[in-house]
Amino acid sequence: MPGNPWFSWSYVVDNAPLLWQRTVEHAGLTIEAVAISAAIAIPLGALISRSRWLSGPVLGAVAVAYTVPSLALFAILAPLLGIGRTPVLVGLVVYALLIILRNTVAGLATVDPAVIDAARGLGYGPGRLLVQVAMPSALPSIIAGLRLATVSTVALVTVGVVVGYGGLGQLMFQGFRNNFYRAEIMTATLATILLALLLDLVLWAAGRALTPWLRRRTA
Amino acid sequence: MTAPTGVVDQALVWLNDPLTWTEPGGVLDLTAEHLLMTAAAVAAAAAVAIPVGAWLGHSGQGAGLVVWLTNASRAMPTLGIILLLAAGGLFGNTATVIAAAFFAVPVLLVNTYEGVRGADPDARDAARGMGMSGGRILLQVELPLATTLVAAGLRTTIVQVVATIPLAALAGGGGLGQIIAFGMGTQRYGEVLAGGVLVAALCLAIDAVLAVGQRLATPAPLRASAG
């Protein structure tokens, strides 16, 4: 009876193509979900932060959806959207939405009113004001939201295994059913954590490049 | 008949069968089991996280640890950890409670830490000026001021634990998640849908009850600032 080590390089080497395929699926699903969420949440955030009457109910409704556990949401979506990638993607978008929306609204709320006043005095219209003044000021908060959404999405993708599309989660569950193949579960878990850290690092670097004025201020 | 409506019909038929609810191991039993496991996990997490968080916040140490814990806990794939525990020989409800408690500690610890840390420095100073010892300052000044954040942390933690326990059902744990796991295993998607709805309903109901509880637990003078 061969041992069941917690980690083995030979597993990683022998299964490199499969590991790579699952990692690419995992990363692709994460990036797509966060991109769709951002495309909805950032304009929506800009819109609802104009009035408290709008932002309260919208944030509340999204927060209710966020309270539903991922497993339950995938289980509800799967029979309606079919087994596979779509229910996972839709579920992930819902979860990322709240995080990005909340940070967009919070970021826009902290824009210095004096700056807004000055821009208005210079003759900026509402559209230019939003794009050229308010958004850049809110950018650090929005980027923080994108990073948080990305890291939690990477972890959530694994739950997609319940509807047959969990990226690296497939390997975790396969290893579990395969007589507790520890090396497989461990490798997939570590790969998930590494992917989260890697994507976080990329977004951190992008955020740094997009907000050069923050560095100048602290220097 | 198209497949989706078929699934919805199956779910409704299953949910409408009284036996589904009352049989041994039915929905009522599973809900009770789910709540018992939640209570055990939250109690275990609170027993560790609140004292440690309070002490770190009081002494002002461990800010780095707290930041690291928050970030690390977000990147952790819950499912992977649960399956690793199972592969290590930890099964069933005890393992589920341990895993759920493990994931509950960071939220509660960070909220307690932030609450105690954020207590008004003037109040702390006044307490010291009155000759209170460190322990008394923590118990009688800082912790009461931290109630808002600790209560918020408890609410988040409890909802999170209720949401985490179904994942453990994939690894053979109990609770309402069993309905989803069983439906998946036997390809009865109507039950999967019904299980999903039940888990979601339980989470939303508990969150609503706790929202009221959180408001009651917050001392009146602090309510306005809590929004």
Side-chain angles (χ1 to χ4, degrees):
Chain A
M1 174 93 190
N4 187 6
W6 286 105
F7 191 79
S8 95
W9 264 118
S10 65
Y11 167 79
V12 178
V13 173
D14 291 346
N15 295 280
L18 181 65
L19 269 171
W20 178 246
Q21 185 202 332
R22 295 284 184 236
T23 309
V24 170
E25 271 175 26
H26 202 121
L29 195 55
T30 305
I31 293 166
E32 197 178 331
V34 174
I36 295 175
S37 275
I40 301 171
I42 297 174
L44 187 63
L47 185 74
I48 63 174
S49 63
R50 289 167 161 269
S51 89
R52 195 173 286 247
W53 296 109
L54 264 176
S55 60
V58 171
L59 281 176
V62 180
V64 168
Y66 190 79
T67 310
V68 175
S70 50
L71 183 72
L73 189 61
F74 294 155
I76 294 170
L77 290 173
L80 307 174
L81 299 173
I83 293 281
R85 195 165 189 266
T86 323
V88 183
L89 181 64
V90 173
L92 294 175
V93 167
V94 169
Y95 290 118
L97 202 63
L98 177 75
I99 304 176
I100 303 175
L101 192 61
R102 211 181 251 168
N103 275 49
T104 307
V105 172
L108 286 172
T110 55
V111 178
D112 188 347
V115 174
I116 300 278
D117 240 30
R120 208 171 277 145
L122 284 164
Y124 276 54
R128 249 183 99 196
L129 189 74
L130 180 69
V131 174
Q132 295 189 348
V133 180
M135 274 298 174
S137 305
L139 204 56
S141 172
I142 296 175
I143 289 167
L146 286 175
R147 287 177 61 186
L148 185 51
T150 306
V151 170
S152 49
T153 302
V154 171
L156 273 177
V157 169
T158 59
V159 179
V161 73
V162 76
V163 294
Y165 200 95
L168 288 161
Q170 293 300 118
L171 295 180
M172 294 174 190
F173 201 58
Q174 185 183 315
F176 170 72
R177 275 198 299 207
N178 221 336
N179 268 324
F180 314 118
Y181 191 179
R182 289 173 182 167
E184 189 168 28
I185 309 175
M186 182 63 93
T187 309
T189 305
L190 290 178
T192 309
I193 296 171
L194 282 179
L195 183 63
L197 294 179
L198 181 73
L199 290 177
D200 191 45
L201 195 68
V202 169
L203 281 174
W204 171 80
R208 220 174 121 85
L210 280 173
T211 54
W213 62 88
L214 288 182
R215 258 172 298 157
R216 233 175 287 140
R217 193 183 298 159
T218 49
Chain B
M1 190 189 284
T2 56
T5 41
V7 171
V8 174
D9 285 348
Q10 282 168 27
L12 288 176
V13 168
W14 187 82
L15 281 173
N16 257 324
D17 183 353
L19 201 59
T20 301
W21 294 78
T22 52
E23 69 183 340
V27 173
L28 294 181
D29 278 4
L30 290 177
T31 308
E33 192 184 18
H34 204 123
L35 292 178
L36 266 177
M37 282 157 74
T38 304
V42 172
V48 176
I50 292 182
V52 173
W55 182 251
L56 288 179
H58 175 72
S59 62
Q61 290 168 347
L65 172 79
V66 170
V67 170
W68 181 84
L69 252 183
T70 352
N71 293 336
S73 69
R74 280 179 189 135
M76 283 288 163
T78 316
L79 183 66
I81 306 290
I82 287 171
L83 295 178
L84 277 175
L85 279 176
L90 264 178
F91 273 110
N93 291 355
T94 317
T96 308
V97 168
I98 294 172
F102 176 77
F103 284 104
V105 166
V107 186
L108 206 46
L109 195 147
V110 169
N111 271 48
T112 312
Y113 174 87
E114 295 291 344
V116 171
R117 190 94 209 97
D120 187 348
D122 286 347
R124 202 179 288 144
D125 237 31
R128 194 167 294 135
M130 285 164 69
M132 282 192 180
S133 65
R136 265 187 82 194
I137 292 179
L138 177 59
L139 286 178
Q140 296 187 348
V141 179
E142 290 170 329
L143 271 177
L145 285 172
T147 320
T148 320
L149 270 172
V150 176
L154 267 175
R155 174 176 164 199
T156 316
T157 304
I158 294 171
V159 174
Q160 186 196 312
V161 168
V162 174
T164 307
I165 287 176
L167 277 180
L170 292 177
L176 280 175
Q178 267 185 356
I179 301 170
I180 301 176
F182 184 74
M184 280 289 163
T186 53
Q187 304 202 328
R188 287 185 215 167
Y189 296 109
E191 284 178 38
V192 173
L193 176 60
V197 171
L198 287 173
V199 171
L202 182 67
C203 268
L204 291 174
I206 288 190
D207 191 47
V209 169
L210 291 175
V212 176
Q214 186 187 348
R215 192 164 168 80
L216 293 179
T218 307
L222 293 176
R223 269 181 210 167
S225 62

